[in-house]
Amino acid sequence: MPHNTLGKTGLKVSKLSFGASSLGNVFRSTNESESIEVVREALRQGINYIDVAPWYGHGLSEKVLGKALDGIPRTAYYIATKVGRYQPEVDKMFDFSAERTLRSVDESLQRMGLDFVDVIQVHDMEFAPSLDIIINETLPALQKVQQSGKARFIGITGYPLGNFRTVLERSTVKIDTVLTYCRACIHDNGLQEYIPFFQERGIGIINASPIAMGLLSNQGPPDWHPATKDIKDACVKSASFCRDNDCDISKLAMAYTLGFPGVHTTLFSTASLGNLRKNLACANTQLSHKEEDVLKEVIKRYIDPLPVHHWESVEVDEYKRQLQGVPDEQTFKLG
């Protein structure tokens, strides 16, 4: 497993890393015993960076992860968790206040049975009423967490890429990492534009979800996926074209993302041993000439013609509508 240095943190992280969201039944109901074995097998295969959050399964992912890591030397892995996103009820979903931030870190450490995490991150900062709260309240609270020894480094996460520039330029708290998702994929390579900006500041760059939360798979995305109809339709056609040419779109998607320049580690999530081994095989196998040709044709036929390749603002707008009490039949689940 190749390793990269995560920005200026000094952490030597595996190129492919493990996202523990699946352990919390985010995508499907899971078996705890298999989930535990998935984590341990990932570590045996050279993955050493694990990302989790209180939001995933509303604490379940962290609890299962803690069981999986029990008895494993702390030097064998790096752990990143998050603050800010918590409960399924829309009025309890987000809280970026300093008080809740400090309490959240202690809760996460208790659930996982750890004394510290390697990276503590603000979760989906676009949902804050204002980025001023992130800059003036959440990040200073995380600095206190860092100074107390409960976290080594501080990160920010989110989907809209422009927010990273705003926060990095304005924050007086040193930020070590950024994490975004679905922005270095076949359907959307928007992260590429921001790589030089992050590199200039020595920021660790973490990319998540090479198959775009199921968009780039034969199964398709979950019902709550926020992508627009145009993007979903293009991805369905892409998957069909791949099948017609005896190729697996998920394998092509993984290869595309792992080849994305400037990214230090890419997170994928699964609670299935079979899927874990499939992802590891993809990471260790180059595409054939035929697969490379099919990938190029998919992008040319179905992706390049898209007028917009992202769904920025879709979820935030929906969140605001639900807070205002829009009738249920007009809403979708916030994933």
Side-chain angles (χ1 to χ4, degrees), residues 11 50 52 62 74 77-82 105 108-109 112 114-121 145-146 149-154:
L11 304 182
I50 303 172
V52 70
E62 289 183 326
R74 185 63 180 85
Y77 57 85
Y78 300 121
I79 286 281
T81 192
K82 308 181 187 76
V105 174
S108 290
L109 292 175
M112 292 187 286
L114 299 175
D115 296 323
F116 70 94
V117 293
D118 296 283
V119 185
I120 188 68
Q121 306 161 107
V145 170
Q146 184 182 43
K150 295 176 183 177
R152 298 173 64 191
F153 302 101
I154 294 172

Side-chain angles (χ1 to χ4, degrees), residues 289-307:
H289 292 307
K290 177 183 177 180
E291 288 170 328
E292 289 177 350
D293 290 341
V294 169
L295 174 57
K296 291 175 184 176
E297 190 64 23
V298 159
I299 294 172
K300 178 181 177 182
R301 284 193 187 198
Y302 306 113
I303 305 305
D304 285 346
L306 283 169

Side-chain angles (χ1 to χ4, degrees), residues 12-78:
K12 305 288 186 181
V13 298
S14 48
K15 184 174 182 179
L16 190 63
S17 49
F18 184 74
S21 58
S22 289
L23 308 186
N25 301 329
V26 170
F27 299 100
R28 64 176 178 86
S29 295
T30 58
N31 177 281
E32 185 175 290
S33 296
E34 184 177 19
S35 295
I36 290 170
E37 183 56 28
V38 164
V39 175
R40 293 176 177 172
E41 179 65 13
L43 293 172
R44 283 193 290 265
Q45 296 300 321
I47 289 175
N48 71 349
Y49 189 88
I50 303 172
D51 178 89
V52 70
W55 168 248
Y56 304 144
H58 317 302
L60 179 60
S61 289
E62 289 183 326
K63 290 178 181 177
V64 175
L65 184 58
K67 292 179 182 180
L69 296 174
D70 186 32
I72 296 175
R74 185 63 180 85
T75 54
Y77 57 85
Y78 300 121

Side-chain angles (χ1 to χ4, degrees), residues 35-178:
S35 295
I36 290 170
E37 183 56 28
V38 164
V39 175
R40 293 176 177 172
E41 179 65 13
L43 293 172
R44 283 193 290 265
Q45 296 300 321
I47 289 175
N48 71 349
Y49 189 88
I50 303 172
D51 178 89
V52 70
W55 168 248
Y56 304 144
H58 317 302
L60 179 60
S61 289
E62 289 183 326
K63 290 178 181 177
V64 175
L65 184 58
K67 292 179 182 180
L69 296 174
D70 186 32
I72 296 175
R74 185 63 180 85
T75 54
Y77 57 85
Y78 300 121
I79 286 281
T81 192
K82 308 181 187 76
V83 299
R85 190 167 190 172
Y86 303 106
Q87 297 300 320
E89 297 83 8
V90 69
D91 60 333
K92 299 176 182 177
M93 192 172 290
F94 295 96
D95 187 341
F96 296 97
S97 67
E99 185 277 331
R100 185 67 184 95
T101 294
L102 295 171
R103 185 155 47 91
S104 177
V105 174
D106 289 336
E107 291 167 353
S108 290
L109 292 175
Q110 183 177 33
R111 280 191 287 262
M112 292 187 286
L114 299 175
D115 296 323
F116 70 94
V117 293
D118 296 283
V119 185
I120 188 68
Q121 306 161 107
V122 183
H123 199 171
D124 292 341
M125 57 186 179
E126 64 266 29
F127 288 93
S130 166
L131 290 179
D132 289 341
I133 294 174
I134 304 297
I135 294 164
N136 298 323
E137 190 163 350
T138 318
L139 286 169
L142 292 186
Q143 188 175 48
K144 290 181 180 179
V145 170
Q146 184 182 43
Q147 291 168 345
S148 74
K150 295 176 183 177
R152 298 173 64 191
F153 302 101
I154 294 172
I156 51 178
T157 82
Y159 182 73
L161 295 169
N163 286 347
F164 291 110
R165 183 187 296 272
T166 299
V167 174
L168 285 167
E169 287 181 339
R170 291 181 53 198
S171 176
T172 58
V173 174
K174 184 178 184 295
I175 296 169
D176 303 291
T177 68
V178 296

